[in-house]
Amino acid sequence: MIKKEVFIGFFVGLVANAIGVYLAAMFLGTHDDFILALKNASAEGFLGKLVSLGAILNLAAFFIFLKKKQDYRARGVLLATVVIAISTFLFKFM
């Protein structure tokens, strides 16, 4: 039961980050095409910053779960944020 709650939180964290990346790319990008905006961000070297901006929505999901007393789901969102941070770090330096 606890693993299921953590997994739900992890999934919500990944989805929130994906939505945040999409919104950040659309607001900060100069193109209407999401894939083209990601390619340009990668070519110009600020894809990691774009992913980090997308993680702001994880903050909202984390505090919503805490407010609802769903601590294990909040733990899953935190885990997703850590995984995204580590993958961004590895992507930048590899």
Side-chain angles (χ1 to χ4, degrees), residues 10 29 40 67:
F10 184 78
N40 286 340
K67 186 166 180 87

PDB file of all heavy atoms in Angstrom, residues 10 29 40 67:
ATOM      1  N   PHE A  10       5.287   9.729  -7.334  1.00  0.00           N
ATOM      2  CA  PHE A  10       6.377   9.788  -8.296  1.00  0.00           C
ATOM      3  C   PHE A  10       5.840  10.079  -9.692  1.00  0.00           C
ATOM      4  O   PHE A  10       6.374  10.920 -10.417  1.00  0.00           O
ATOM      5  CB  PHE A  10       7.145   8.462  -8.282  1.00  0.00           C
ATOM      6  CG  PHE A  10       8.351   8.439  -9.170  1.00  0.00           C
ATOM      7  CD1 PHE A  10       9.524   9.052  -8.762  1.00  0.00           C
ATOM      8  CD2 PHE A  10       8.318   7.805 -10.391  1.00  0.00           C
ATOM      9  CE1 PHE A  10      10.651   9.029  -9.575  1.00  0.00           C
ATOM     10  CE2 PHE A  10       9.429   7.786 -11.211  1.00  0.00           C
ATOM     11  CZ  PHE A  10      10.597   8.393 -10.804  1.00  0.00           C
ATOM     12  N   GLY A  29      10.095  30.130 -25.265  1.00  0.00           N
ATOM     13  CA  GLY A  29      10.562  29.829 -26.613  1.00  0.00           C
ATOM     14  C   GLY A  29       9.993  30.799 -27.634  1.00  0.00           C
ATOM     15  O   GLY A  29       9.000  31.491 -27.400  1.00  0.00           O
ATOM     16  N   ASN A  40      16.153  23.536 -29.963  1.00  0.00           N
ATOM     17  CA  ASN A  40      16.892  24.792 -29.861  1.00  0.00           C
ATOM     18  C   ASN A  40      17.474  24.979 -28.468  1.00  0.00           C
ATOM     19  O   ASN A  40      18.595  25.471 -28.324  1.00  0.00           O
ATOM     20  CB  ASN A  40      16.002  25.982 -30.224  1.00  0.00           C
ATOM     21  CG  ASN A  40      15.745  26.061 -31.703  1.00  0.00           C
ATOM     22  OD1 ASN A  40      16.475  25.493 -32.501  1.00  0.00           O
ATOM     23  ND2 ASN A  40      14.691  26.765 -32.085  1.00  0.00           N
ATOM     24  N   LYS A  67      -0.775  19.185   2.281  1.00  0.00           N
ATOM     25  CA  LYS A  67      -1.971  19.797   2.845  1.00  0.00           C
ATOM     26  C   LYS A  67      -3.093  18.768   3.012  1.00  0.00           C
ATOM     27  O   LYS A  67      -3.867  18.833   3.960  1.00  0.00           O
ATOM     28  CB  LYS A  67      -2.428  20.955   1.979  1.00  0.00           C
ATOM     29  CG  LYS A  67      -3.569  21.737   2.566  1.00  0.00           C
ATOM     30  CD  LYS A  67      -3.738  23.049   1.846  1.00  0.00           C
ATOM     31  CE  LYS A  67      -4.864  23.830   2.416  1.00  0.00           C
ATOM     32  NZ  LYS A  67      -4.473  24.654   3.547  1.00  0.00           N
TER      33      LYS A  67
END
